[in-house]
Amino acid sequence: MEERLLGSEAKYESNLKGRIWTESKKLWRIALPAMLARVSQYGMFVVTQGFIGHIGDVQLAAYALIQIIAVRFANGILLGMSSATETLCGQAFGAKQYHMMGIYLQRSLLINIATGTVLLPVFIFAGDIFKLLGEDSDIAAKAGYISLWFIPILYFFVFCLTIQKYLQAQLKNIIVGWLSAVAFVMHVILSWIFVNLLNLGIPGAMGAMIIASWFIVIGEFVYLFGGWCPNTWNGFCLAAFVDLLPVLKLSVSSGVMLCLELWYNAILVLLSGYMKNATTEISAFSICLNIISWEFMLCFGFLAASSVRISNELGKGDAKTASFSVKVAIITATIIGTFFFIICLLFSHGITKIFTSSEEVISSVSSLSVLLALSVFLNGLQAVLSGVAVGAGRQTLVAYVNLCCYYIIGIPVGVLLAYVADMKVKGIWIGMMVGVATQVLTLGFITYKTDWDQQVDEATARLDRWLLKPSDESTGN
């Protein structure tokens, strides 16, 4: 009897290891291309900051303002709204409603193009906006000039992000990873030629980023229209204009969920601009945020992977596999977060020299190294838990969590520590950490209490409600 029990335990342990290995392969199949894409795409912003940072401190601070506030503002909305595509296409793929995925893509593109156009005034009048907010006049004026160069990048977000979500939902995002990697190399070469050899300054740095970014978008369209998605793309159809309102509602809740998270850091950078030594404080804080954001691009791979895995399994109706996938993703994110925690503690001083040669800024960044490392560790858990919510279509719930944790807890704590306790940038950062830690704990508790059978029922009801028969696509009936 005892031998039978031991044999049963060994079989279960072996089976568990096999399940973990199988699930890990599925996660990494999505995560690796997503990581490559996000790191390469964000890397172009970091490379541009590096070239502009060596032009001058004012230019660096101005670029930091426009990138972390205006660009993050727009990217937060568009990336968040694109996660509606991720939810709908992921669940449709799991349910084998392949023909609906192309329709969901077209609906999301219509909504996101309109949204991007509404956001245009933010970039056109960025300089005046920063002056009204009380930022340093020289920095605000230069930021207003740089913001005009970001208008083509705004529409890059619209097309690239939406198509990327559509492709990764059907496990075809490897093409986006390779396009992004090639674009990154192209961007580095063009930046060096335009800025260092031709001495074109800001126009050269921004022009290189525009060319490299749109190379990705053109490549995605070639892949989409070239017949590499035969089951999910049947061409443009009138059905794209049907049920736009419910898709818009899900897109808005998705946008609010993510932009509340991305705006959080932007508001903290804005607060650092009101300190006495604004140029140094903004530059130091923005460099730390860029290091975090670059690492967070890796975490976005797990956000994408957990989202696709959960949405696919919910679409299939498999609640147990969805729950198991969540556990494997959280364990993997924790291991990776620990690795980057150690890296940031050891090499933060050397990394800072990539962005600036100012000893004052380098010293300021070095004093934040412990907080930087802790933030990097929390990023992985935050991304996986957010990805689980996106996969289940629970963006509205997460939006409320982000609002409370970041804006009711994190920012007030940061303001008190920075201005009342006179801890300056370190105080703002501690406030940010408190908000992120509270969010991770809250989302962790919600995920732990989730009834996955109920989530399957909700996903099935959503897909059935919006389902169109293949013969109805062209007429939109």
Side-chain angles (χ1 to χ4, degrees):
M1 180 68 175
E2 188 175 341
E3 289 180 2
R4 192 180 304 150
L5 286 172
L6 289 173
S8 178
E9 287 178 7
K11 184 177 180 181
Y12 175 78
E13 185 177 340
S14 175
N15 184 45
L16 179 61
K17 289 179 180 178
R19 289 174 64 203
I20 292 173
W21 175 247
T22 300
E23 182 59 38
S24 295
K25 286 194 295 184
K26 290 179 180 179
L27 282 169
W28 282 104
R29 181 182 176 184
I30 305 161
L32 278 176
M35 286 179 181
L36 180 60
R38 297 299 301 177
V39 169
S40 300
Q41 290 171 23
Y42 190 77
M44 291 191 286
F45 288 90
V46 178
V47 168
T48 302
Q49 183 177 33
F51 277 96
I52 290 178
H54 289 286
I55 296 174
D57 287 347
V58 173
Q59 287 84 348
L60 174 61
Y63 179 88
L65 266 184
I66 197 66
Q67 182 199 339
I68 297 179
I69 295 177
V71 174
R72 192 176 289 259
F73 172 81
N75 186 48
I77 293 175
L78 294 169
L79 181 59
M81 295 185 76
S82 297
S83 74
T85 315
E86 197 167 12
T87 301
L88 296 172
C89 287
Q91 293 181 0
F93 186 77
K96 298 184 179 180
Q97 297 177 2
Y98 301 129
H99 68 284
M100 288 300 299
M101 294 179 66
I103 297 173
Y104 290 141
L105 171 63
Q106 292 173 61
R107 290 173 183 171
S108 295
L109 281 172
L110 288 171
I111 291 169
N112 288 350
I113 289 170
T115 304
T117 303
V118 170
L119 292 172
L120 265 181
V122 174
F123 291 85
I124 295 172
F125 302 107
D128 296 327
I129 292 171
F130 287 133
K131 287 178 183 177
L132 287 174
L133 291 173
E135 293 294 328
D136 181 88
S137 59
D138 289 340
I139 297 175
K142 190 64 69 175
Y145 171 70
I146 294 174
S147 70
L148 297 176
W149 286 94
F150 271 106
I151 291 176
I153 303 298
L154 173 66
Y155 286 97
F156 157 75
F157 290 147
V158 169
F159 293 103
C160 180
L161 296 176
T162 311
I163 299 174
Q164 182 177 337
K165 302 291 186 185
Y166 159 80
L167 291 173
Q168 74 185 17
Q170 54 191 303
L171 312 181
K172 290 187 175 181
N173 59 329
I174 185 65
I175 182 63
V176 184
W178 285 117
L179 285 171
S180 301
V182 172
F184 177 77
V185 175
M186 179 191 302
H187 175 60
V188 173
I189 295 172
L190 289 176
S191 296
W192 179 74
I193 292 172
F194 291 168
V195 178
N196 289 359
L197 292 185
L198 301 180
N199 199 28
L200 296 177
I202 290 174
M206 295 303 301
M209 183 161 63
I210 292 168
I211 293 170
S213 298
W214 275 88
F215 169 81
I216 300 172
V217 175
I218 293 169
E220 287 179 340
F221 276 121
V222 169
Y223 187 83
L224 180 63
F225 298 149
W228 281 279
C229 301
N231 295 325
T232 60
W233 178 259
N234 298 315
F236 295 102
C237 60
L238 293 175
F241 296 91
V242 178
D243 286 329
L244 275 177
L245 184 58
V247 176
L248 176 61
K249 288 180 180 178
L250 182 60
S251 297
V252 169
S253 61
S254 302
V256 171
M257 180 200 85
L258 196 58
C259 68
L260 283 175
E261 190 169 310
L262 296 177
W263 292 352
Y264 181 48
N265 292 340
I267 290 173
L268 295 173
V269 172
L270 193 64
L271 290 173
S272 68
Y274 296 118
M275 295 179 180
K276 291 181 180 179
N277 194 356
T279 300
T280 299
E281 301 293 353
I282 292 175
S283 298
F285 197 46
S286 69
I287 287 171
C288 288
L289 286 180
N290 268 320
I291 294 171
I292 287 178
S293 297
W294 210 348
E295 183 266 344
F296 193 61
M297 295 306 108
L298 297 177
C299 298
F300 255 119
F302 278 99
L303 191 156
S306 57
S307 171
V308 171
R309 288 294 303 128
I310 297 303
S311 61
N312 284 175
E313 296 304 329
L314 292 181
K316 289 178 185 176
D318 193 340
K320 289 184 179 179
T321 304
S323 176
F324 185 74
S325 179
V326 172
K327 295 172 185 175
V328 174
I330 289 174
I331 292 171
T332 306
T334 302
I335 294 171
I336 293 175
T338 303
F339 171 76
F340 281 106
F341 173 85
I342 296 170
I343 292 295
C344 281
L345 283 180
L346 295 177
F347 301 109
S348 63
H349 185 83
I351 294 171
T352 307
K353 292 183 178 180
I354 297 173
F355 301 99
T356 182
S357 52
S358 170
E359 289 299 326
E360 191 175 2
V361 175
I362 292 172
S363 175
S364 182
V365 172
S366 296
S367 69
L368 299 169
S369 59
V370 175
L371 294 174
L372 177 64
L374 288 172
S375 297
V376 162
F377 175 77
L378 288 173
N379 271 351
L381 294 174
Q382 178 192 48
V384 167
L385 293 170
S386 296
V388 170
V390 170
R394 304 168 76 181
Q395 289 93 326
T396 302
L397 175 62
V398 181
Y400 285 119
V401 172
N402 289 351
L403 180 64
C404 293
C405 295
Y406 292 156
Y407 296 87
I408 297 178
I409 297 174
I411 289 178
V413 169
V415 170
L416 287 173
L417 292 176
Y419 293 98
V420 178
D422 198 30
M423 294 178 69
K424 299 180 180 177
V425 170
K426 189 173 289 186
I428 291 177
W429 199 295
I430 292 173
M432 180 179 74
M433 289 281 298
V434 170
V436 172
T438 307
Q439 181 217 28
V440 169
L441 290 173
T442 305
L443 291 181
F445 179 77
I446 290 171
T447 303
Y448 174 73
K449 289 291 186 180
T450 295
D451 182 344
W452 291 105
D453 289 311
Q454 180 184 347
Q455 293 303 312
V456 165
D457 293 339
E458 291 180 8
T460 302
R462 180 188 298 115
L463 292 173
D464 289 345
R465 187 167 62 248
W466 294 348
L467 176 63
L468 294 172
K469 295 179 181 179
S471 59
D472 293 333
E473 289 180 27
S474 61
T475 60
N477 292 329

